[in-house]
Amino acid sequence: MGLDALLDWLPPDSPEVELARRIREDRLPVHIAIIMDGNGRWAGLRHLPRVEGHRAGIDAVREVVETSARLGIEYLTVYAFSVENWKRPPTEVNTLMTLLKRYLCSELDTLVRHDIRFKVVGRLEELAPDVRAALVEAMEKTAAGHGMQLNIALNYGGRAEIVEAAKRAIVAAIRPDELDERAFSGFLYTAGQPDPDLLIRTSGEMRVSNFLLWQIAYAEIWVTDTLWPDFRRPHLLEAVLDYQRRDRRYGGISRPVAASR
Ligand code: FPP
């Protein structure tokens, strides 16, 4: 996997080839996180029920996962269902869970073939047994993958995650002098993973919506007006190219993106 693998795979003479050729392999974001927003509006614009927007969003998930893995992104986290999303009508919640199960069922072989490791970030234990079983099966069957890690944030809330991490630190009886930022990160769902370098949000909304609050402290944010079901490979490549033009300072002085790895 890497830029050459992506270039070999892209249709020759497609606009994506031009975008991909401009990407610097030594300045790739290690971790990309995505707030997939705008499914409901996408459906509304077409006079369709909201769930049709979620259904269409699956194609975007598929394309982004495969493109990221081929490009050589090491971690990809997508926000599929927040702890607040339980407030939606039960039919919408049920459809989202069914779509997730179907995605796992239809994509599991592809994930394994691409050496992708699948992980859930969020409260797995509160999900219905059939959904949990599908998620656990996907995690187990992909556990040996050495390629990209695909995190699906599900029943996830950033504040809830921080509170849970604090409880775990208390249960672990960690001493105050041992508890620093690094040690605390080890109690989060994302323990052992690097923080996102690039946070993408679709549908033009300028907020972080309780997503990875601790982990995005220094993420570069890229917002597009494109609604999630319309998000495709060129959008992802444009986001990466824009990220590569950023000057990441971490509160300090000017530092090129490449040096942040
Ligand atoms: C936000 O759009 C999107 C969601 C709450 C769910 C995202 C889920 C998917 C794309 C499908 C399942 C995911 C996976 C990983 C297989 P919205 O409904 O808030 O849109 P709106 O703001 O336009 O109403």
Side-chain angles (χ1 to χ4, degrees), residues 36-41 50 54 58 80 88 96 103 152 228:
M36 310 182 286
D37 195 16
N39 295 354
R41 275 163 283 171
R50 292 178 52 80
H54 299 316
I58 295 279
R88 295 189 177 207
L96 276 168
Y103 170 81
I152 296 206
W228 178 252

Side-chain angles (χ1 to χ4, degrees), residues 202-257:
T202 58
S203 91
E205 306 290 355
M206 297 289 183
R207 47 178 177 262
V208 293
S209 298
N210 203 13
F211 187 43
L212 301 176
L213 294 183
W214 174 281
Q215 297 90 334
I216 60 167
Y218 287 102
E220 295 296 325
I221 301 179
W222 190 81
V223 177
T224 173
D225 286 335
T226 303
L227 304 175
W228 178 252
D230 292 328
F231 193 91
R232 284 295 177 276
R233 215 176 287 133
H235 301 105
L236 180 72
L237 299 179
E238 275 166 22
V240 170
L241 279 167
D242 193 61
Y243 165 83
Q244 297 192 328
R245 289 191 288 268
R246 306 279 179 98
D247 177 21
R248 301 187 82 188
R249 291 192 292 277
Y250 299 91
I253 54 166
S254 193
R255 195 176 174 211
V257 161

Side-chain angles (χ1 to χ4, degrees), residues 35-43 50 53-62 65 78-82 85 88 92 95-97 99-104 118 150-154 201-203 205 207 227-229:
I35 301 177
M36 310 182 286
D37 195 16
N39 295 354
R41 275 163 283 171
W42 184 93
R50 292 178 52 80
H54 299 316
R55 222 182 291 283
I58 295 279
D59 292 335
V61 172
R62 217 175 266 126
V65 168
V78 293
Y79 202 4
F81 193 86
S82 73
N85 286 153
R88 295 189 177 207
E92 184 172 343
T95 304
L96 276 168
M97 295 298 161
L99 285 174
L100 182 73
K101 274 194 301 179
R102 267 198 222 138
Y103 170 81
L104 291 174
F118 172 77
L150 168 63
N151 294 318
I152 296 206
L154 197 60
R201 178 161 193 151
T202 58
S203 91
E205 306 290 355
R207 47 178 177 262
L227 304 175
W228 178 252

Side-chain angles (χ1 to χ4, degrees), residues 162-178:
I162 292 170
V163 170
E164 263 184 49
K167 287 182 184 167
R168 286 198 204 109
I170 292 167
V171 170
I174 188 162
R175 289 201 323 263
D177 61 311
E178 290 170 339

